[in-house]
Structures are given as structure tokens and as C-alpha cells.
Amino acid sequence: MGDTLEFNEIYHESKGSWNDGRLRFSKQNVVYKSSKTGKVDNIPAAELSVATWRRVCLGHGIKLATSNGHVYKYDGFRDTDYERISEFFKANYKVELTEKDMCVKGWNWGTAKFSGPLLSFDVNDSSVFEIPLASVSQCATGKNEVTLEFHQNDDAEVSLMEVRFYVPPGPADEGADPVEAFAQNVRSKADVIQATGDAVCVFKELQCLTPRGRYDILIYPAFLHLHGKTFDYKIPYTTVLRLFLLPSKDQRQMFFVISLDPPIKQGQTRYHFLILHFSKEEELKLTLNMSEEEVEKRYEGKLSKNMSGSLYEMVSRVMKALVNRKITVPGNFQGNTPGAQCITCSYKAQSGLLYPLERGFIYVHKPPVHLRFEEISSVNFARGTTTTRSFDFEVETKQGNQFTFSSIEREEYGKLFDFVNAKKLHIKNRGFKEAKNNEYSDSDDDQHDAYLERMKAEGKIREEGDGSNDSDEETGEYDSNASESDSGSGGDGSGDEGKKKPAKKAKVVKEKRERKPRKEKKQKDTNAPKRPMSSYMLWLNSSRERIKSENPGISITEISKKAGEMWKQIGKEDKEEWDGKADEAKKTYEKAMKEYRESGGGSSTPAKKESKKKAGGKKEDKKRKSGGGEKEKEQGGNDSFKSREFISSEESSSDGERKKAKKAKKAKGKPQSRDKVLEEYLSLSLSLSLCLS
């Protein structure tokens, strides 16, 4: 048998709620650590006196009693664990693990026994139920009754609020009242706070951030009393889990944080942390309300009757001595600001400070959050949602809760990453640290945004659709304007109109040239050999069926994603094999393409030749008109074309009519201005006068 025995998922009852944790038996002690709060129960082996094995609601449980009157109960063992634990106790603790059954008769009368901090209700020497007296908040007596009220626990689904015991009257010759005797036994061990005697010391008007306000703090030997204008709180020292002393970022203020379990209550609000705010400049001279002998005897030199110093030092020193717990301060972490041991950030839209400690993180102040490293599952560094000058720090716990600390300056990234890495916390996006300068740069060019790319592509398609319609309209307008300028160039009154039209021509020609490549891009030669596939596509085609068989029900997109991950993991030698196949396919394609071109494939289609022919005809037509040539062009020319001096009156009038009809057709549905009509009238009258002369 080994030197230790360890058990996981062992449950400990705390005010009606079951909290899981780890239990370890060693030769020196018994240690239980709660997973929820991190609180540790340490039982020295020399103090163990009784060990009992019982059948309980969560399997089997063990009850340990010590020589100084403390009782500890742990449940969640299996039946097969009994032999191992029994042998270990005999060999190392010299204590026998005895089995004892619980009474399940359901009787409601029996004997009440007080054993240390427990009230046991027994029937025929078998325990029916046990009540931890530390859970009792109030004890009231009646004629023959004793009523016990219990502390509420927000984590418990069902809470026991009250239990009443009927105490029968004793013999007449006995002077003691059995009801009062029963109540006195309960009050001696119950967690009933009674302010008896004077306070050890008083701190006046301390600023408290949670709960907010100014409170007088009265220090009693067993509890802490916060007295404010509206509310009063009494905090037993047994509910204090941890103490923190944290310097502010400006190095001029201090935070003293008290972690509480169970929390203090104000209506429906729960305060798990008590945060006091101090200025470093505040000084205080403190005198304890005790004699020097009592101070020395009770606190063993931790306190003295007369003390002086900074206010935060006095409060923290007194609390440390009375609570008997260590004070946690920031470790070796240094932020970007010189001397700062914290990071400015936001949590739930509230700005605060995040302190990286040696064993966890704590955020102050609204709401306060304490995260221990052992309960953290992973952390993540994410880009800020509003700006690239900051980032978010996400912490996920093993219970599935997520805490996001946002708006952290990007200058803090390197030091926070190194701190988390040194504490060996699991980082989700590990590997991006080298690119942090690009990740948090002002430019987004290096970041691939799939949604943005898709929106750009859709906008491009819409632009092409709109552009095609615009280009058709502009092209039509250009042709009509060109004919007008050509036919009306002989007139003297068309000079102003000629100045405006070249600007339209240049604009329209430019738009036409921009749209041309897009229209040609849609045409594809279906008879040409197909392009070769890359090495990845060749491998994907051969592996697709295998991926489907290994992952039944996988979708098409998931196949591509899975294939991409598998391709990254393929070795260099295997990739060279597929690269070779891709090269062979490329050579085959080039050879086939060469043969296809030699055989006449890939030449322009008749439709293309005809369009080129028409375009050539238009160019020659323009040259002939500008040069005043007399020869007709064989291809693409106009057989009816004649030079200006051979135009007859009939042709001139017919041309004028055609010009007028074309203008009317173009202007149909469009109102013309008065100047435009007058200009056309003058042009027609001038042409008629020339014909008559």
C-alpha cells in the first residue's frame, strides 16, 4: 500500500449544499480541498480519534471526529473503497474504521445527543439525522418547544428553514428547565452572533466600494460589524476565505478586499466581496481596547496595544491577526505603465482593474471577480470588437463559465501573454503571438474577412449588371449623336453644338472600353482541353470516398474542411508524389493544347469576325468622311456615300427629313427646351436656302 490515498469527486455538505472536491489521506494528515471555493480542511493525523463508515444518500460516507471536538463528514465513496481505507487507517492512524447503519424507520421521537458541533437525533442508538450547529442562525424557546432556524444558502436547490423539537417536562424535583438546557447547548455551538462586550477597536468612516457607502467598522473577537447610515452587517470571521491588499494603478491608493463565503445579503443582492478603499496619505494612531497582557496572550505578538501608521496598514494588520489568514498581494507581474501591477480593462460595461496574482486573477471593483488558476480551463486572446487598438482577454472555467475582460490596451498584450504562458495555462489561440503586431495594427489589409470578401463579390456582380444597362444606353446615345454631327457638319449654325458633343464622345468611349473585357470574359471555348488539376485536388478526388466512410453523415463543407486539415498533416514525401502527378497532368494538357491549336481550334468564331468587320467598316467610314475621299471601300463601306458637292436638292431634303425623324424618335417622351427647338429650326431653314440657291 502506498503512502497516500487520493479520491476525486468527494462531497462535503455546507449549509445544505453539496460541494465537490478532492480528499487525500497521508501519513501526516487528512486534507480536503473544495473545488468551488478552494478552501482547505487540514486534519492532523495525531488528532483523529473516531472514524465511522456509513451508508448515505451519495453512496457511502466517512465521518471523522478529532480529539478537540471537531467533526468532519465526507460523502461520495464507493463500496469497494472500504477495505483500502480501513487498512490505511489501521496502519497509519491506529484508528479502526467502524461501520454503522443509519436508522430508516421514520420515527419522529427519540433521543437528542450533543456531540461537539453536532446535534444527533437517535432512535435505539442508531442515528436518524444530524444537524451541524454551525448552520443554526437563531434559537427560540416556547413552553415545551425549541425552534431552530438555519442560514440560507443560495446554491442549495431546497433549503431547510426551521426545525422544532418537543421537549417533555422533567420530574418536578429537578430545578433545571429541560427546554432552557436544550437551548443553551444549541446556543453554545450555534453560529448566533451576539454583540457582547466592547469592541477590540473601531475604525471610523471608512470608504467601502462594495457595499457602497461609508461605514464604521467595529472589530469584535469573533465577528466584524459594519455600521452604516442605512444598513448594518455582521460578518463572522469563519466566513472569511481570503484577504487581498492591492495597490491602485496610480500608486496613490490601496484596495483591501475581503472574500466571503457565504456572502453578506442586502435584500436580493449578495456581496461575495467586501472592498475597502484607502488613500496612502491617511495616517492613524490605534489603541486596542485590551490590556497588553491580553493582547500578547491572544494574538501572540501579531498585534500590540498601541500602533500607528498608514490607515490601510492598520486595518490589514488587525484583520490578519483576527481572521488568522495570510494577505495576498500582487506578484512579479509588471504592466506597461511603469510600476503598475495591474491592467486597466472593462468587465460587463464597467471599467476596472485586473490583477494577475501568483495563483489567480482578481478584478476590482464592479462586480469583483476572483479566478483561481486551478479552476481555469483555458484563456483566449481576442481582437477588440470596437477598435483594433485594444484586445479582449477571455477566461473559461472548468464549470463552463466564461469571463471576458475587454478594452485592454494592445501594449499590454506581450506581458500578459508571457505571464499566462509562464503559469502554464492553456491558451486557445497559441501560435499567433508572433503576429501580434499585425493582428492589432490599424490596417485590416492583412486580415482575411470572409464576410467582407463575399459582400465585395456581390457588389461587383451588381455593379456589372448596372454597368451593362448604362453602357447600352450610352452607346445608343453615342451613335445618334455621331450621325447628327456628321449630317449637320455642313451647316454654319452647328458650331456651339459641336463643342459640347466631343466631351460626351470621350466619356462614352471610355465607358465602352471598360465594359468590353467583361463581356468577352464570359465566352468560353467548350472544345478546348480541360485545364489540369493541382496536386491538392488530385489528392482530394482520390481521398473523398475514404473521408466519407470514416465520417458518416458529414456534409460537403465539412468534407472540404476535414480534407484541408488532413492535407496539412501529410508528410513531405507524400506531397511530392502528388506534385509529380500534377506535373504529368500539366505536361499532358500543354501537349493537347498545342495539337488543338495546330488543328485550327481556338480561332475566333464567325460572330466575332463579323463584329470585327463592322468595326473596321466604321473606322474606314470615318476616315473617308474626314478626308473628303471619293473612292468607295470594298469591305465595310457605304455604297450610297457621296461627297458634299454632289448632294442634290432631293437627297438633301430627304436627308433632312430623316434627320428630323431620328431626332423626334430620340426625343420621344423627353421634353425639349426652347433654345433647342429654335436651333433645329434655324438649321433646317439654312439647309433649305442652300438647296434653293
Side-chain angles (χ1 to χ4, degrees):
M1 182 176 290
D3 295 338
T4 60
L5 287 178
E6 290 193 8
F7 299 92
N8 295 324
E9 296 185 2
I10 300 300
Y11 294 88
H12 174 64
E13 188 268 336
S14 174
K15 293 182 174 61
S17 176
W18 292 99
N19 300 326
D20 67 313
R22 298 178 59 188
L23 181 65
R24 183 183 66 188
F25 298 107
S26 64
K27 292 183 177 181
Q28 295 79 19
N29 53 12
V30 178
V31 179
Y32 176 81
K33 187 170 186 178
S34 173
S35 300
K36 178 188 175 185
T37 62
K39 187 177 181 180
V40 177
D41 294 337
N42 194 336
I43 310 170
E47 296 182 3
L48 285 177
S49 59
V50 179
T52 307
W53 181 266
R54 308 181 298 178
R55 178 68 183 270
V56 292
C57 60
L58 297 175
H60 291 78
I62 189 171
K63 175 183 174 183
L64 303 177
T66 62
S67 56
N68 53 11
H70 294 288
V71 177
Y72 303 90
K73 295 188 296 181
Y74 305 106
D75 298 348
F77 296 96
R78 292 175 294 182
D79 191 14
T80 55
D81 297 332
Y82 172 75
E83 294 181 1
R84 297 169 56 201
I85 298 174
S86 179
E87 292 177 4
F88 188 87
F89 273 45
K90 288 180 182 179
N92 298 285
Y93 303 150
K94 309 302 179 184
V95 175
E96 185 177 356
L97 184 62
T98 59
E99 290 188 79
K100 190 173 182 180
D101 295 332
M102 304 288 289
C103 180
V104 292
K105 290 183 178 181
W107 293 0
N108 62 347
W109 67 89
T111 305
K113 293 182 180 180
F114 293 91
S115 57
L118 289 179
L119 168 60
S120 177
F121 186 78
D122 298 346
V123 174
N124 297 333
D125 295 332
S126 295
S127 179
V128 179
F129 61 85
E130 294 176 341
I131 297 176
L133 295 178
S135 301
V136 177
S137 63
Q138 193 63 254
C139 179
T141 60
K143 184 177 180 181
N144 289 320
E145 287 183 349
V146 178
T147 304
L148 305 183
E149 296 180 6
F150 302 95
H151 291 291
Q152 298 182 30
N153 192 339
D154 297 331
D155 297 331
E157 295 181 0
V158 179
S159 297
L160 179 63
M161 305 298 298
E162 181 181 285
V163 172
R164 292 187 180 185
F165 292 94
Y166 172 78
V167 183
D173 55 352
E174 291 185 5
D177 186 2
V179 175
E180 288 296 331
F182 188 98
Q184 189 61 34
N185 287 329
V186 172
R187 292 192 185 103
S188 62
K189 299 294 183 180
D191 188 15
V192 180
I193 300 175
Q194 297 179 355
T196 57
D198 297 331
V200 176
C201 61
V202 178
F203 298 99
K204 294 284 188 179
E205 293 291 326
L206 295 185
Q207 184 180 358
C208 194
L209 298 181
T210 55
R212 189 172 181 179
R214 288 192 173 270
Y215 291 86
D216 294 339
I217 298 182
L218 287 74
I219 305 294
Y220 287 91
F223 65 93
L224 176 70
H225 185 194
L226 269 69
H227 176 67
K229 293 181 179 179
T230 308
F231 300 100
D232 279 9
Y233 303 99
K234 293 179 181 178
I235 305 171
Y237 296 139
T238 54
T239 64
V240 176
L241 287 179
R242 295 175 185 85
L243 302 174
F244 301 91
L245 187 61
L246 309 171
S248 181
K249 195 169 186 178
D250 57 7
Q251 303 295 318
R252 294 183 296 177
Q253 299 172 344
M254 298 291 292
F255 298 103
F256 185 66
V257 184
I258 303 174
S259 176
L260 304 172
D261 183 44
I264 56 178
K265 304 173 185 178
Q266 179 178 310
Q268 296 298 321
T269 308
R270 304 292 184 264
Y271 296 104
H272 291 83
F273 293 89
L274 176 65
I275 303 179
L276 302 176
H277 190 210
F278 301 97
S279 173
K280 283 189 174 182
E281 299 177 355
E282 293 181 272
E283 299 286 337
L284 177 69
K285 291 183 179 180
L286 183 64
T287 302
L288 301 183
N289 191 17
M290 300 172 67
S291 63
E292 293 184 0
E293 291 79 9
E294 290 178 340
V295 173
E296 182 65 28
K297 182 180 179 180
R298 181 174 294 183
Y299 303 114
E300 300 176 354
K302 296 178 182 178
L303 298 177
S304 58
K305 182 175 177 61
N306 298 307
M307 297 180 291
S308 62
S310 300
L311 179 58
Y312 73 90
E313 291 180 352
M314 295 294 100
V315 174
S316 58
R317 185 177 175 183
V318 170
M319 288 298 299
K320 180 182 178 182
L322 271 70
V323 177
N324 197 20
R325 293 192 181 276
K326 296 180 180 179
I327 296 179
T328 304
V329 297
N332 299 324
F333 177 81
Q334 292 292 331
N336 185 57
T337 305
Q341 295 179 291
C342 57
I343 297 172
T344 303
C345 61
S346 297
Y347 176 66
K348 291 186 177 180
Q350 295 288 339
S351 180
L353 300 173
L354 179 66
Y355 291 84
L357 308 175
E358 288 300 317
R359 295 185 180 180
F361 296 99
I362 186 169
Y363 173 82
V364 291
H365 74 99
K366 192 176 182 180
V369 178
H370 179 230
L371 299 169
R372 294 174 286 115
F373 290 155
E374 58 191 21
E375 65 177 342
I376 294 176
S377 171
S378 62
V379 299
N380 182 39
F381 294 86
R383 291 193 62 179
T385 55
T386 57
T387 176
T388 57
R389 294 186 176 275
S390 64
F391 67 95
D392 297 347
F393 182 59
E394 301 172 352
V395 180
E396 186 174 348
T397 63
K398 295 177 181 177
Q399 288 77 20
N401 300 323
Q402 185 168 344
F403 301 86
T404 303
F405 304 98
S406 58
S407 303
I408 303 177
E409 296 180 358
R410 62 180 180 181
E411 288 79 8
E412 306 281 3
Y413 176 82
K415 296 187 177 181
L416 183 58
F417 184 94
D418 294 338
F419 174 83
V420 172
N421 197 25
K423 296 302 178 181
K424 298 181 180 179
L425 296 177
H426 174 63
I427 304 174
K428 280 187 176 180
N429 53 353
R430 183 185 295 273
F432 293 95
K433 179 178 183 295
E434 291 78 9
K436 64 179 183 294
N437 293 330
N438 293 332
E439 184 178 356
Y440 301 118
S441 61
D442 293 337
S443 175
D444 291 333
D445 296 338
D446 297 334
Q447 301 296 326
H448 176 72
D449 192 338
Y451 178 76
L452 181 62
E453 295 296 331
R454 190 179 72 185
M455 296 303 295
K456 285 182 178 179
E458 291 178 359
K460 192 174 181 180
I461 293 171
R462 286 196 299 269
E463 185 182 353
E464 287 179 1
D466 297 340
S468 61
N469 298 334
D470 296 342
S471 63
D472 293 341
E473 293 174 2
E474 290 173 354
T475 304
E477 184 180 354
Y478 169 75
D479 293 337
S480 62
N481 289 339
S483 62
E484 287 175 18
S485 61
D486 293 339
S487 61
S489 59
D492 297 332
S494 60
D496 296 337
E497 187 178 357
K499 290 180 183 178
K500 297 179 182 178
K501 287 175 183 176
K504 286 187 179 180
K505 283 183 182 180
K507 180 180 178 182
V508 173
V509 168
K510 186 177 179 182
E511 293 294 331
K512 190 174 181 181
R513 286 176 183 173
E514 286 181 358
R515 303 300 177 190
K516 240 181 183 180
R518 293 180 183 173
K519 291 182 180 179
E520 291 178 359
K521 198 178 289 184
K522 296 179 182 178
Q523 298 176 359
K524 185 177 180 180
D525 191 355
T526 56
N527 299 323
K530 292 184 178 180
R531 290 182 176 274
M533 290 188 289
S534 64
S535 56
Y536 169 71
M537 293 304 298
L538 291 171
W539 171 85
L540 178 59
N541 288 340
S542 65
S543 304
R544 183 178 280 107
E545 295 300 326
R546 180 169 59 87
I547 295 173
K548 287 182 179 179
S549 61
E550 293 177 355
N551 303 276
I554 191 170
S555 64
I556 297 174
T557 56
E558 291 175 349
I559 289 175
S560 303
K561 185 178 180 181
K562 185 71 176 177
E565 295 175 356
M566 294 173 63
W567 177 254
K568 290 180 181 178
Q569 297 174 359
I570 291 178
K572 187 176 181 181
E573 297 178 356
D574 296 336
K575 284 188 178 180
E576 289 178 354
E577 178 185 350
W578 293 102
D579 291 340
K581 292 181 180 180
D583 293 339
E584 292 177 4
K586 186 177 181 181
K587 291 178 182 177
T588 305
Y589 167 76
E590 291 175 351
K591 184 178 179 181
M593 197 66 187
K594 185 177 180 183
E595 294 175 356
Y596 177 70
R597 286 172 180 168
E598 289 176 354
S599 63
S603 59
S604 59
T605 59
K608 287 184 179 179
K609 290 181 179 179
E610 188 178 348
S611 63
K612 289 180 180 179
K613 192 174 181 181
K614 289 181 179 180
K618 286 184 179 180
K619 289 181 181 178
E620 292 296 330
D621 194 12
K622 288 181 180 179
K623 286 181 181 179
R624 186 174 297 161
K625 288 179 182 180
S626 61
E630 300 177 358
K631 295 182 179 181
E632 297 180 1
K633 193 170 181 180
E634 295 180 0
Q635 295 180 356
N638 190 356
D639 296 335
S640 61
F641 175 82
K642 293 181 181 181
S643 59
R644 189 175 301 159
E645 55 267 25
F646 290 101
I647 297 177
S648 63
S649 61
E650 294 180 359
E651 291 174 344
S652 175
S653 60
S654 62
D655 289 344
E657 290 175 358
R658 282 199 297 270
K659 177 180 175 183
K660 186 176 180 181
K662 189 178 287 187
K663 282 188 177 182
K665 185 178 181 181
K666 179 185 173 184
K668 187 177 182 181
K670 184 192 295 184
Q672 293 185 353
S673 63
R674 183 177 178 183
D675 296 339
K676 187 72 175 179
V677 173
L678 183 61
E679 188 177 356
E680 290 178 359
Y681 175 76
L682 292 174
S683 178
L684 288 171
S685 61
L686 182 62
S687 60
L688 288 172
S689 62
L690 288 173
C691 291
L692 292 173
S693 63

